[in-house]
Amino acid sequence: MSRDPRYDILFEPVKIGPVTAKNRFYQVPHCNGGGYRDPSAAAAMRRVKAEGGWGVIFTEQTEMHHTSEIAPYIELRLWDDEDIPIMARMADAIHEFDALAGTQLAYAGINGPNLYSKEVPLAPSAMPIRTYTSDPVSARALTKQDIRDLYRWHRKACLRAKTAGYDLICLYSAHGHGIIQHFLSRATNQRSDEYGGSLENRSRFMRELIEECKDAVGDSCGITLRLSLDETIGELGFANSEVRDLIEMHADLPDLWDLAHGTWADCSGPSRFKEEAAQQELVSGIKDLTSKPVVGVGRFTSPDVMLRQVNSGVLDFIGCARPSIADPFLPRKIDEGRVEDIRECIGCNICISGDMTMSISRCTQNPTFMEEWRKGWHPEDIESKGESDSVLVVGAGPAGLEAARALGNRGYQVVLAEAATQLGGRVARERLLPGLSAWGRVADYREYQLSQMPNVDIYLDNELGADDILEFGFEHAVLATGSSWRADGVARYHVVPMPDDGSIPVHTPDDLMTDNIPDGEIVVFDDDHYYMGGVVAELLAGRGCRVTLVTPAAYVSAWTSNTLEQAAIHTRLAEMGVRIVLNRAVSQIEQGRIVSECVFSGQADSMSADAIVMVASRVGNDKLWQELVARESEWGGHGIKSIKLIGDAQSPAPIAWATYAGHRYARELDKPDAGDALPFRREVTQLKNVCME
Ligand SMILES: Cc1cc2nc3c(=O)[nH]c(=O)nc-3n(C[C@H](O)[C@H](O)[C@H](O)COP(=O)(O)O)c2cc1C
Ligand code: SF4
């Protein structure tokens, strides 16, 4: 198939200073939880995107000097020449498919606590450091000599980036994370010299710095500026109107304006709170202020929305972070006329949690993300099938669907049996909850892919028993039978069922998802801490219930701080009138009252309620598996080589864990057992040959 000519404009080359991008698909900087610890894994991830057709591919933010680092977060570093080989590995990987390689130099200023380097942080004004963990450290104000040092450090970092092979260098002034923004914003720049006060003065640092970088490498590298569209912190902040004034004032200073909204949470807004192209209003009209190209972001997954951005003169480049993670081959699919094959980002921000937890990133939609080198997984290619022929997949939730899709791709004869009347499992139910409709893409993408495979048969409304599975004659069976919410409160606070005299009806999220919704005064007890407690409270409040959310954590939906949703969830619930009770656990249900206790002091209290919803923990639906294990001696007689349990049925977790489990099962079928060997590659720090004294 070939490209729809309507999309031709997306494939036009565009100049950025001294270099030219082959098309308008621009992967903006994004971290991956691997950074300097997993350089080959990160390089292979970018290489796959280059193969997938992105014209511009950036690294994550790269700490450009040791006096400003953000440990414990794991990004890239360009502190001195020793870091060049790691950086070069990524640039080389990107160049293999003719993409431009960009790196984002970050001097974190008021955002860098220097926990590793132990240097005193430097910022425009002396202030406490601003980090997610409010580290008890302050920055000192930059002297004029410090500013000159900073220019020299940037010059050297630019030269190192050029040596490493980069075509583009982005200076970070967005998300509150870069020192240029700290100079631009009156909230963080309280200087009274020529670098503070008027906008012209506040932008002096930016101008001189860009001139320095251009002087250093501008002959061969494009110098771009990533700028916050609106700091969203009220009057003192760098607001959208000032952003426009700034761009007008310095219209052609950088080689490209890279525009990104407010805080990182604003910019990477989850689908629960932000639509595709949500930043359009803040960007519109900015292109008219400059002759330089403009890139903007907005979880763009639809080629038509992308087209509109370019045709209506809003953007020159389609900036993507998450859509490029969910589908590294997005540009190529548009180019090849395979738009329906795009694996659309669901906006869950699980990818961000890898960075926030300093582990390694996952993607709900693309289980191969960050496994390209570690496991040799490619998002589009998969090895042909092994010696067996047939596989039965039981359960069509995220794990079962992904297993069936990947097994089908490998060429196995696959039967997917589902007890319900539709595909999707938990996703089919959860997509109906407030704000979660885009999560349904997990099922939609796979349903379409399966519909194209003649070797996969799907049977809905088909609940199988152990006898069925033994008698069907499949060589392999994989059970992806999902999980159920428990009603007895057992999770983290309660390790045994909580005392309950039965005087108040107890519901679980599963009841609510089958439209069994209580009314009146409802207590939601959230000891799960991810999204479900907040979503359930929102659902009930939306149906007119008077809701109190009780959680032992210090924050509502505490784990969602890792997906940058926590503040938005709290705001939404507060606006809907949900009463939020933190640091308390429901301890028992007694005589028509719900008793709660302070998690620190144990001080007890009680409240009346018409019902309680337990958002505690889930248990795997593994009854069928247990029955089959009990009959393992019969497997061989029926020609069965293996039966496995995967996904939530084995270990309840977020959806990304389930798609990963399904994919892994499919990849590893008919492969030799790796035994005790490490199931992925990694890089171990090289010891220096030095005296230890
Ligand atoms: C996992 C992840 C890591 C990110 N890391 C960075 C970063 O290092 N530097 C940066 O400027 N923006 C970073 N961002 C923000 C993105 O560049 C982008 O502006 C934002 O996600 C909106 O684009 P999208 O809707 O296409 O994801 C990151 C985003 C994600 C999802
Ligand atoms: S993890 Fe979720 S938000 Fe991130 S790219 Fe994948 S689908 Fe999109």
Side-chain angles (χ1 to χ4, degrees), residues 67-375:
T67 54
S68 191
E69 48 85 13
I70 58 168
Y73 299 100
I74 301 178
E75 318 299 334
L76 281 172
R77 289 174 175 163
L78 202 38
W79 292 355
D80 65 14
D81 289 359
E82 274 199 289
D83 292 317
I84 291 177
I86 281 184
M87 295 294 292
R89 176 155 296 187
M90 192 175 282
D92 291 348
I94 293 168
H95 284 150
E96 272 186 56
F97 296 90
D98 297 331
L100 292 180
T103 186
Q104 180 181 48
L105 297 187
Y107 194 90
I110 201 78
N111 195 240
N114 292 349
L115 301 178
Y116 181 86
S117 70
K118 302 186 182 173
E119 295 288 348
V120 172
L122 299 171
S125 299
M127 292 182 120
I129 285 295
R130 296 168 168 229
T131 52
Y132 296 114
T133 38
S134 297
D135 299 292
V137 179
S138 298
R140 73 167 171 81
L142 288 151
T143 63
K144 298 274 177 60
Q145 181 55 46
D146 292 327
I147 292 178
R148 283 193 291 277
D149 288 347
L150 252 178
Y151 294 156
R152 193 179 64 256
W153 297 338
H154 272 84
R155 168 179 283 273
K156 289 185 170 175
C158 285
L159 289 167
R160 286 195 289 272
K162 181 177 165 177
T163 305
Y166 285 89
D167 312 292
L168 295 169
I169 293 172
C170 167
L171 300 174
Y172 200 6
S173 175
H175 308 140
H177 287 178
I179 195 160
I180 299 176
Q181 184 179 357
H182 307 150
F183 268 98
L184 290 173
S185 167
R186 277 165 298 181
T188 42
N189 181 350
Q190 293 162 9
R191 298 177 75 99
S192 51
D193 62 6
E194 68 268 36
Y195 291 97
S198 67
L199 181 60
E200 191 183 354
N201 277 0
R202 278 179 281 129
S203 61
R204 189 179 307 279
F205 175 81
M206 175 196 89
R207 181 173 58 70
E208 292 177 352
L209 185 63
I210 293 178
E211 284 166 0
E212 182 85 30
C213 295
K214 280 193 155 176
D215 184 59
V217 297
D219 57 332
S220 55
C221 299
I223 305 294
T224 75
L225 182 70
R226 183 145 231 227
L227 191 66
S228 253
L229 276 165
D230 192 325
E231 212 179 354
T232 60
I233 56 166
E235 291 222 329
L236 274 179
F238 192 52
N240 192 250
S241 55
E242 260 208 321
V243 170
R244 287 166 193 265
D245 293 343
L246 176 94
I247 295 178
E248 209 166 1
M249 195 182 282
H250 301 284
D252 295 340
L253 182 64
D255 291 318
L256 170 145
W257 294 97
D258 174 353
L259 304 173
H261 188 26
T263 62
W264 186 13
D266 292 323
C267 188
S268 298
S271 56
R272 194 170 160 190
F273 299 102
K274 294 242 165 108
E275 296 291 327
E276 184 171 1
Q279 304 185 25
Q280 188 171 324
E281 204 177 305
L282 290 169
V283 184
S284 288
I286 288 186
K287 230 178 86 56
D288 301 336
L289 307 175
T290 170
S291 68
K292 301 293 178 174
V294 170
V295 56
V297 289
R299 216 175 59 253
F300 296 119
T301 58
S302 149
D304 289 324
V305 176
M306 296 175 190
L307 200 57
R308 211 165 50 238
Q309 302 295 314
V310 177
N311 281 339
S312 60
V314 176
L315 298 177
D316 296 292
F317 283 102
I318 304 301
C320 292
R322 292 165 295 174
S324 74
I325 293 171
D327 196 340
F329 273 57
L330 190 152
R332 242 171 93 169
K333 287 176 181 173
I334 300 174
D335 194 23
E336 293 171 0
R338 297 194 294 126
V339 167
E340 61 288 345
D341 285 332
I342 294 173
R343 195 169 40 239
E344 288 185 286
C345 166
I346 69 165
C348 62
N349 284 1
I350 278 292
C351 48
I352 292 173
S353 73
D355 187 48
M356 298 297 285
T357 56
M358 301 140 238
S359 44
I360 199 153
S361 287
R362 299 174 182 255
C363 170
T364 302
Q365 281 286 60
N366 173 13
T368 67
F369 180 56
M370 290 308 285
E371 301 301 340
E372 301 84 351
W373 179 82
R374 296 205 317 164
K375 293 198 159 182

Side-chain angles (χ1 to χ4, degrees), residues 520-524 534 536-550 556 568-581:
E521 193 121 11
I522 313 295
V523 168
V524 175
V536 158
E538 189 179 337
L539 172 75
L540 293 168
R543 299 280 182 106
C545 300
R546 291 181 303 287
V547 183
T548 301
L549 189 150
V550 180
V556 168
I569 293 171
H570 189 116
T571 308
R572 166 87 39 102
L573 297 186
E575 283 169 359
M576 294 183 84
V578 172
R579 195 174 142 238
I580 294 168
V581 179

